[in-house]
Amino acid sequence: MASTILPIRCYPDPILRTKTTIVEDFNRSLHTLLDNMAHTMYQAEGIGLAAPQVGEIRRVCVVDVSREGLELQEFINPQIIAREGSASGEEGCLSIPEYRDKVDRSAKIVVKAQDRKGQFFELEASNLLAVCLQHEIDHLDGILFIDHLSRLKRELFKRWALKQGWQLE
Ligand code: ZN
């Protein structure tokens, strides 16, 4: 079945600030959402996408850091259960187009989640995958990467956003 490209919600859309709800039904509606999210992520050339970014308040994200579109990973009800070290790198977000900045994250994490059938799994992630997952799981709690910036950098972001003609939150 062909997947649909979903419109990506952009800052300051309030849906990006909404906390998602736990998925309990691992049904066709979930599978369609996952397929459409992957398709949308690849189309936008992103390495991760969370459900609120396509207007869905479900605790779901998809990630592919292979940069070749070969290693799609789906996370339903993900939770970070362990963290170690720190890493900082430049991040961007499909919901905040063209803005990039350095964010401090944990260098290694362990994520517990379910797959599309509802099976639980644990994944140890480091490097780009760890950063990407922290970014996407933040989305599921209504948190954006700009929230991790220093006060000064947030001011710079606000100025930049105003220049783009965006309304601020
Ligand atoms: Zn994002």
Side-chain angles (χ1 to χ4, degrees):
M1 204 176 67
S3 306
T4 309
I5 296 167
L6 305 167
I8 295 179
R9 304 292 190 93
C10 285
Y11 180 92
D13 190 322
I15 202 159
L16 298 171
R17 294 308 195 179
T18 310
K19 204 170 158 33
T20 52
T21 54
I22 298 285
V23 173
E24 284 168 350
D25 295 322
F26 295 80
N27 53 16
R28 185 183 288 258
S29 146
L30 174 70
H31 299 166
T32 303
L33 174 65
L34 286 163
D35 293 343
N36 290 343
M37 282 175 64
H39 195 50
T40 304
M41 173 180 76
Y42 289 129
Q43 185 70 23
E45 294 181 10
I47 57 172
L49 189 69
Q53 295 182 275
V54 291
E56 287 278 345
I57 304 302
R58 291 192 253 183
R59 200 168 175 84
V60 168
C61 63
V62 293
V63 162
D64 186 340
V65 296
S66 73
R67 301 206 188 265
E68 285 142 25
L70 296 170
E71 286 165 35
L72 179 66
Q73 291 177 285
E74 300 172 335
F75 297 85
I76 294 100
N77 303 327
Q79 267 184 293
I80 297 172
I81 56 170
R83 300 173 173 274
E84 196 183 278
S86 60
S88 101
E90 258 209 353
E91 291 183 31
C93 180
L94 293 175
S95 295
I96 310 177
E98 289 171 43
Y99 191 80
R100 298 185 68 80
D101 215 331
K102 258 193 171 178
V103 179
D104 293 325
R105 300 283 190 185
S106 303
K108 266 189 189 176
I109 56 170
V110 179
V111 174
K112 184 179 178 185
Q114 283 162 281
D115 67 15
R116 60 163 62 205
K117 291 179 180 157
Q119 286 297 350
F120 281 95
F121 65 94
E122 281 184 20
L123 176 82
E124 208 183 296
S126 55
N127 305 318
L128 184 59
L129 180 59
V131 168
C132 184
L133 274 169
Q134 288 169 84
H135 179 119
E136 300 312 328
I137 293 171
D138 267 357
H139 271 302
L140 303 178
D141 293 318
I143 298 166
L144 300 173
F145 82 95
I146 50 169
D147 300 341
H148 294 291
L149 303 178
S150 66
R151 192 182 288 189
L152 173 70
K153 283 196 162 178
R154 275 209 82 169
E155 280 309 312
L156 293 173
F157 166 74
K158 282 183 186 168
R159 256 188 251 174
W160 177 88
L162 283 172
K163 247 192 232 166
Q164 311 301 305
W166 296 1
Q167 287 193 324
L168 295 178
E169 291 176 290

